[in-house]
Amino acid sequence: MPGHFEPIPGGGAAVALDDVEISIIRSLAVQLLELIGPGPGGDAPEDPLAELFAEGPSEPPADPVLRRLFPDAYVDPEAPGTAAEAEERRAHSSEFRRYTENDLRAGKRENALVVIRSLDALAPVDEGGAVLKLAPAESRCWLGALNDLRLAIGARLEITDEDDTDLLYRLPDEDPRKPMVLAYLWLGGLQETLVTTLMS
């Protein structure tokens, strides 16, 4: 079980994590929460009903990580068509973003919070570390959060396709991106084993 998820009775998943791994995942999840932000109404909305129907932003985020996490729905710069058709796609994308981004952000926040809470609830073992056991619903939240963390790190590393990933394997140890690359690859392995576990 060390380093990869395995199925447990009841449809959940389990993985053994050492103290360093727990600290890294928790830190990354907290950073993701900070990046996504508290939501349109902050921590204590005055009118929950108004919050429910609040419109989100209509323009893509300026931060490249947020643009990767919340991409345009209809805009494809390589799509064929006239300038008018491209403008129409941008308008549709803007409208779609306005009515969906708040919910998407809330879902990503909830996934990250599930990760943090489940790590905080771990009981340590003598060797340093713990076995994380997740119920099926928690497993799905973890899967979403691991995907978001990899997307965020990939955006910071400017990974856009498989060739970029191949280059990461050949980075020299002194490259300042190396720790981020190792985290990206490790999270990918965790994500892959969790997918396999949930499909078994």
Side-chain angles (χ1 to χ4, degrees):
M1 185 188 311
H4 62 275
F5 280 96
E6 292 182 1
I8 57 175
V15 63
L17 299 170
D18 65 31
D19 290 339
V20 173
E21 292 169 331
I22 292 168
S23 175
I24 290 170
I25 296 172
R26 190 184 189 289
S27 174
L28 290 172
V30 167
Q31 291 175 51
L32 183 64
L33 273 178
E34 291 170 353
L35 184 64
I36 292 171
D43 294 326
E46 291 181 21
D47 183 356
L49 188 59
E51 174 99 357
L52 183 64
F53 294 101
E55 292 182 4
S58 59
E59 295 299 319
D63 187 292
V65 173
L66 290 175
R67 275 199 311 273
R68 182 76 60 90
L69 292 172
F70 306 104
D72 277 328
Y74 299 102
V75 176
D76 178 1
E78 297 178 16
T82 65
E85 290 169 333
E87 184 56 38
E88 184 178 354
R89 285 193 299 272
R90 274 193 290 279
H92 288 308
S93 185
S94 176
E95 191 77 357
F96 183 81
R97 179 180 297 280
R98 195 158 46 124
Y99 292 110
T100 61
E101 188 169 314
N102 285 345
D103 287 341
L104 291 173
R105 283 180 183 259
K108 291 179 185 302
R109 272 193 298 276
E110 183 56 31
N111 289 343
L113 283 170
V114 167
V115 167
I116 293 167
R117 289 175 186 142
S118 58
L119 292 175
D120 288 349
L122 284 176
V125 293
D126 293 339
E127 300 84 31
V131 175
L132 174 70
K133 294 182 180 179
L134 302 172
E138 292 173 312
S139 298
R140 289 187 292 276
C141 290
W142 264 77
L143 189 58
L146 288 172
N147 186 60
D148 289 341
L149 291 174
R150 290 193 76 240
L151 286 173
I153 294 172
R156 290 288 185 241
L157 291 170
E158 299 179 351
I159 297 171
T160 56
D161 58 35
E162 197 62 39
D163 291 339
D164 294 334
T165 306
D166 292 341
L167 291 173
L168 297 179
Y169 285 103
R170 297 191 293 275
L171 282 180
D173 289 342
E174 61 273 9
D175 192 298
R177 296 171 294 172
K178 191 73 171 192
M180 206 181 323
V181 168
L182 293 174
Y184 177 81
L185 298 173
W186 171 61
L187 291 172
L190 279 178
Q191 182 182 14
E192 185 177 338
T193 63
L194 184 53
V195 168
T196 302
T197 296
L198 294 177
M199 291 176 66
S200 63

